[in-house]
Amino acid sequence: MSKRKFVKIQTSIPGPKSMELLERRKKAVPKGISNNCETFVKSASGALVEDIDGNTFIDFAGAIGTLNVGHSHPRVVRALQNQSENFIHTGFNVMMYESYIQLAERLAEISPGSFEKQVAFFNSGAEAVENAVKIARKYTKRQGIISFTRGFHGRTLMTMTMTSKVKPYKYGFGPFAPEVYKAPYPYVYRRPDQLSEKEYSQFMIEQFEQFLISEVAPETIAAVVMEPIQGEGGFIVPDRNFVKRVREICTEYGILFVADEIQTGFARTGKYFAIEHFGIEPDLITISKSMGAGVPISGVIGRKEIMEVSESGELGGTYAGSPLGCQAALAVLDIIKDEGLNERAVIIGDKVNRKMHQLAQRFDQIGDIRGIGAMCAMEIVTNNTDKTPDKVAVGKIVKEANSRGLMLLSAGIFGNVIRLLMPLTITDEQLEEGLYILGESVEAVLSSELHLEVNL
């Protein structure tokens, strides 16, 4: 592919108009709020984003997994327009609206579990996790919460405590919430050399069982909160047997199993919910991100007997389950079904994996390729022998891709993973062009003498 059909880079990145706004941003907005791309958006549609300087990018970031149905999908836009013409907000706890009920019914229907369910809506992913913890504690009359190493659950006090990565998420922000324990989570690529994958799976199961002896008594635990695929942790996929054993232990001790589907849900992995790949029926599921196609909304789906334990007024919030959010989410569910986005995610994932494996054959620094469906990632190391994480290279690849018109994100506890979260509505041609630019960017960094010198 010698020519760019979709990407158009008219200026340096950032361009002059973006540079002006960057100066204003520095004065008005704290540096604690990070920016992956130093440009400012003008418009976006599908998988394409245009900045204020006239540069057009292919989006492989998707607002950190928020745009599975793409930017400004016409059906979402119409749903928002129609809703705003009628009313924008009443507060569900003040005067109810049907869209809240419709959305709850549909999510209860499509979520895993052959039991009656109820759904409560909130604003953000962190708020959904906070409320899942509240609900679990109320139901079990226990306090303890188990999350996992490398997990990410949010930036509020409770969810920050549950999150693993210290910098930038936790450093200097303590003290943290009590009664939160972090259990070991499988990481096949970094298993001990002497263990096969099967042996490692059994080893990690034994580690979890011992954790409930050495660290905390299972009888005191209200919930285990698990990302079916760790998102910020580096798109790490656990072994199926490990997940099933954790579920069995939860059932044995009356612990609620909570699937955190905030990044993995809504067709990203080829199913509505990633936990379906593991044959598990969670007690509670937390949802957000692509649920609203960019409109803030989140929720907790759960067994009816668990959800009903909270009394009137104990759950909710001023904007929780807003009319705009509910209408956007209903449109998202229609789009996933009508446009076959679960099936599309599998096709996208196959194409992405082929490209990544081609690159891995050329560059020993590509240590691991992993994911399910269109939730794909590759881990960059100095070499495949010692597997030393190479955060510097990833930073350069992300920046290089951005300069060439591709929006990328990093991830991982070591910051050395490139994760792909392109809209599932991306066309084949856009996907091909984006993967070509990804290859160019990887080659430009990993083949450069400068990069080799940095790591010597």
Side-chain angles (χ1 to χ4, degrees):
M1 184 182 298
S2 58
K3 295 182 180 180
R4 301 285 192 269
K5 181 176 180 181
F6 300 101
V7 168
K8 295 180 177 64
I9 302 300
Q10 315 279 14
T11 69
S12 60
I13 305 296
K17 292 181 180 178
S18 288
M19 289 290 286
E20 289 180 14
L21 280 177
L22 277 171
E23 288 304 311
R24 291 169 55 190
R25 181 239 185 271
K26 289 177 184 177
K27 293 179 181 179
V29 180
K31 64 182 179 181
I33 299 173
S34 64
N35 303 108
N36 187 68
C37 182
E38 291 187 319
T39 55
F40 289 79
V41 63
K42 177 185 176 183
S43 62
S45 178
L48 301 179
V49 178
E50 182 182 349
D51 75 7
I52 59 175
D53 290 288
N55 303 304
T56 304
F57 302 80
I58 295 174
D59 188 356
F60 274 20
I64 320 179
T66 305
L67 299 166
N68 287 357
V69 303
H71 292 274
S72 302
H73 193 291
R75 294 175 74 169
V76 174
V77 172
R78 284 197 300 271
L80 294 174
Q81 288 172 336
N82 291 339
Q83 179 59 55
S84 62
E85 288 174 358
N86 291 318
F87 62 94
I88 292 177
H89 193 61
T90 59
F92 189 74
N93 54 328
V94 176
M95 181 171 282
M96 297 175 286
Y97 32 90
E98 185 180 3
S99 57
Y100 191 113
I101 310 302
Q102 290 176 316
L103 183 58
E105 290 171 339
R106 291 184 65 177
L107 288 170
E109 182 181 354
I110 65 172
S111 57
S114 54
F115 41 77
E116 282 192 273
K117 308 183 196 89
Q118 289 184 334
V119 187
F121 296 121
F122 306 100
N123 298 294
S124 68
E127 196 174 337
V129 175
E130 289 265 2
N131 277 277
V133 168
K134 285 171 60 177
I135 292 165
R137 285 175 166 172
K138 184 82 173 182
Y139 178 77
T140 63
K141 297 180 175 60
R142 303 173 184 177
Q143 302 301 311
I145 300 296
I146 292 176
S147 58
F148 291 88
T149 55
R150 297 182 306 276
F152 181 88
H153 301 285
R155 298 171 184 262
T156 58
L157 177 61
M158 171 56 73
T159 59
M160 179 174 56
T161 305
M162 295 167 66
T163 291
S164 270
K165 195 171 182 178
V166 177
K167 293 182 179 180
Y169 303 122
K170 303 173 71 169
Y171 184 71
F173 294 131
F176 303 107
E179 294 299 318
V180 175
Y181 306 88
K182 289 188 184 63
Y185 187 96
Y187 196 166
V188 173
Y189 176 63
R190 296 193 173 276
R191 71 187 185 278
D193 292 336
Q194 68 271 24
L195 296 181
S196 67
E197 290 192 22
K198 184 176 181 180
E199 290 169 336
Y200 178 67
S201 174
Q202 183 57 39
F203 171 75
M204 292 305 298
I205 289 171
E206 291 169 1
Q207 288 291 294
F208 185 76
E209 292 171 342
Q210 290 175 21
F211 175 85
L212 295 174
I213 297 172
S214 63
E215 297 297 326
V216 62
E219 295 87 354
T220 67
I221 298 299
V224 169
V225 184
M226 176 188 287
E227 295 168 276
I229 303 170
Q230 289 189 329
E232 183 66 23
F235 283 22
I236 299 171
V237 184
D239 177 80
R240 182 183 175 96
N241 290 331
F242 175 82
V243 181
K244 290 180 77 69
R245 180 57 183 146
V246 171
R247 167 76 264 193
E248 289 171 358
I249 291 171
C250 286
T251 302
E252 179 181 351
Y253 288 99
I255 301 168
L256 300 190
F257 185 100
V258 183
D260 184 341
E261 294 270 3
I262 287 159
Q263 190 164 159
T264 54
F266 296 92
R268 173 52 55 183
T269 66
K271 293 184 182 294
Y272 282 105
F273 303 97
I275 198 67
E276 297 177 68
H277 292 283
F278 301 91
I280 299 296
E281 295 183 348
D283 298 299
L284 301 173
I285 302 173
T286 59
I287 51 176
S288 189
K289 284 192 180 282
S290 280
M291 174 183 181
V295 179
I297 186 170
S298 67
V300 178
I301 307 169
R303 293 177 180 268
K304 184 178 180 180
E305 66 268 24
I306 296 171
M307 299 294 286
E308 282 198 322
V309 109
S310 298
E311 298 295 336
S312 177
E314 292 184 345
L315 303 176
T318 302
Y319 293 102
S322 73
L324 294 174
C326 288
Q327 290 292 357
L330 287 167
V332 165
L333 293 178
D334 288 339
I335 294 163
I336 292 173
K337 181 181 178 181
D338 296 345
E339 298 187 17
L341 294 191
N342 279 312
E343 296 77 12
R344 179 65 177 159
V346 176
I347 294 169
I348 290 172
D350 288 343
K351 292 183 177 182
V352 169
N353 273 284
R354 282 199 297 272
K355 179 64 176 181
M356 287 183 169
H357 280 96
Q358 289 171 5
L359 291 170
Q361 290 175 1
R362 297 180 55 204
F363 300 105
D364 187 52
Q365 299 99 313
I366 298 177
D368 193 30
I369 295 166
R370 54 182 177 257
I372 299 178
M375 192 170 181
C376 306
M378 57 182 175
E379 181 164 351
I380 307 299
V381 294
T382 54
N383 61 71
N384 248 318
T385 302
D386 58 29
K387 301 181 181 179
T388 302
D390 199 337
K391 179 179 180 178
V392 172
V394 167
K396 290 181 177 181
I397 291 169
V398 169
K399 187 173 182 179
E400 184 69 27
N402 189 240
S403 71
R404 295 170 182 262
L406 180 67
M407 297 168 64
L408 275 185
L409 292 174
S410 62
I413 199 76
F414 306 114
N416 69 317
V417 176
I418 295 171
R419 55 175 161 173
L420 303 185
L421 288 164
M422 67 283 290
L424 303 179
T425 54
I426 192 170
T427 68
D428 288 338
E429 287 182 303
Q430 291 166 351
L431 179 62
E432 181 184 354
E433 187 171 322
L435 291 175
Y436 181 80
I437 297 171
L438 174 64
E440 282 185 326
S441 305
V442 169
E443 182 172 7
V445 173
L446 299 187
S447 295
S448 71
E449 291 182 5
L450 176 63
H451 176 64
L452 294 174
E453 289 174 2
V454 167
N455 289 289
L456 288 175

